Amino acid sequence: MPTTVPQISFNINLQSDERVKLIAYRHWLVLARNLSIWFTFWFFCTIIFLWRVSLVGIDTLNTVLFGAGTIFFFAMIYSYFDWRNDALVVTNQRVISYNSRFLISVQRNELYVREIEDVKTVTESVFSRYFDYGEIEVQTASRLRNIAFRGIVNPTLVRDTILEFVEPVKEEEQVGRVEQIVRAKVLKQGVLPSLPPLSDFIPPEQTGRTLLGIIPPSPEVRGNSIIWRKHWLFLFVEAANPILLFLILNLSWSLLIGNDFIRSGGSLLILAVLDLFCIAWLIYEVIDWRNDEYIVTPVNIIDIERKPLGRETKRETTWDKIQNISLNQENLWARILKYGDVELFTAGQNENFTFRGVAAPDSVLAVISDYRDQFEQRARDRDFDSTLMLLQHYHKLQREELQVLFDDHRTHIESKLPPPEQLETGN
């Protein structure tokens, strides 16, 4: 069960009405996998060290083997405490993820139950299903805030425990949202519920300017629009040619002048012209990189490729045509430098949109998914408005029809009554 490991060492700061329902840890096989690497190195170092000590005593190589074995031994101890201090805590109000890099860093993420949209579990193999461990992901409206916990014991139990508190809260919120809309639109009481600003999905630390504002941030927030550009690596590759040419020209001129092959008078003018050409070329490449933009707005997706002195290609589609989103990092360098392609598949096979070479593609994928979710929520709100308007017209016509029937009935009754003067005389 998830609570067989000793209790967690960090303070949860429970509220007065908050209760811990489950504490889940990483499976012991995760520890065994991490230990096996260090144990293998330690074992071979120890065996070779003991064998050589018995033959030649202590020498330089044996000293190195002893030191390496000691390091691997302490690495095993470190792995144990690193594994032991990770936990996922579920209360009746929150889900708390605690990832501790022993003696190095601590990462703590928490979500309130009302923020949770869904909970997914993944078991990657028959082996993990047999030993009942896997990955659990707690999803929110903003995927950048999702909590993922790998190698957890009994992920199905953890998921069911979380959903036990999520579903009633979500049902209550949905009912409250409908009531708020009806009160605002029909009874003219209060205000309509609003969705969070889309720019909130971008962490503030990702939107700062870099390099004195010459190179804009990616992503860049403009109102409710978010703009991405290609990774800085692509700018570096394109800018390398004019920079290298500039360096080669100036180095060559210095060598030629130093060896009296040319004179400085006319050659300096030629060098200045060539240097200006290299600088202009560099500026061209920077502007060309800046002008290629991938834009998402609450309504559509825009792909712009604009040459500084040439044509502009602009492609655009709306969110209702987006059917799927995928992420592709083609090689090891892409994963190390954190760039990749985010492809948006549309209804037409030849109309897919690809955000090529964007930085932090997982973040781009998350934000695009959030935009699409909000578009779908607004579409549901419009459908609800249409239904509400239909009901309003129905009740209005029903009231008018009842009023006509009431007036006819009153006229009929009044026609049967004697004249008012007879009622006054009593005749």
Side-chain angles (χ1 to χ4, degrees), residues 73 77 89 96 143 159 168 192 230 280 340 378 391 414 420:
F73 178 78
I77 297 177
V89 182
I96 305 168
R143 287 167 174 77
R159 179 197 61 195
L192 288 170
K230 293 180 181 178
R378 288 192 296 271
L391 290 174
E414 289 176 351

Side-chain angles (χ1 to χ4, degrees), residues 243-419:
I243 292 174
L244 286 175
L245 180 59
F246 180 87
L247 294 175
I248 291 172
L249 288 172
N250 285 271
L251 180 60
S252 300
W253 182 84
S254 299
L255 292 174
L256 292 173
I257 287 291
N259 291 281
D260 295 328
F261 288 108
I262 59 175
R263 298 190 177 188
S264 60
S267 64
L268 183 60
L269 178 61
I270 296 174
L271 178 66
V273 172
L274 293 175
D275 283 348
L276 287 175
F277 171 77
C278 293
I279 294 172
W281 186 6
L282 177 62
I283 294 173
Y284 177 91
E285 294 295 350
V286 173
I287 296 175
D288 186 34
W289 176 83
R290 286 173 57 109
N291 284 347
D292 293 343
E293 297 179 338
Y294 307 118
I295 306 172
V296 296
T297 75
V299 179
N300 53 10
I301 305 103
I302 305 170
D303 180 0
I304 298 177
E305 293 184 5
R306 184 189 305 117
K307 292 295 181 182
L309 302 176
R311 66 177 183 175
E312 173 181 320
T313 303
K314 182 177 180 180
R315 300 176 61 230
E316 185 174 344
T317 190
T318 53
W319 286 108
D320 56 332
K321 295 181 181 178
I322 302 299
Q323 296 183 334
N324 193 20
I325 308 170
S326 70
L327 166 62
N328 181 33
Q329 292 178 289
E330 295 182 349
N331 50 52
L332 179 62
W333 286 112
R335 290 190 290 272
I336 294 175
L337 296 175
K338 296 183 179 179
Y339 70 88
D341 299 341
V342 176
E343 187 167 6
L344 288 72
F345 297 92
T346 61
Q349 294 182 353
N350 297 324
E351 298 178 0
N352 295 342
F353 281 68
T354 303
F355 291 8
R356 298 189 184 280
V358 290
D362 51 346
S363 173
V364 178
L365 177 68
V367 174
I368 290 175
S369 299
D370 294 332
Y371 264 56
R372 186 176 65 168
D373 290 348
Q374 283 219 359
F375 177 85
E376 293 174 351
Q377 180 62 54
R378 288 192 296 271
R380 288 192 294 269
D381 288 345
R382 288 192 296 269
D383 292 340
F384 183 77
D385 288 343
S386 299
T387 303
L388 192 59
M389 184 180 298
L390 179 64
L391 290 174
Q392 285 177 307
H393 284 296
Y394 170 76
H395 287 297
K396 179 182 178 182
L397 293 174
Q398 190 178 48
R399 287 194 300 269
E400 292 175 353
E401 182 67 23
L402 290 174
Q403 185 65 41
V404 171
L405 292 174
F406 176 77
D407 292 342
D408 290 344
H409 184 65
R410 184 176 62 181
T411 302
H412 177 72
I413 293 176
E414 289 176 351
S415 66
K416 298 296 184 180
L417 293 174

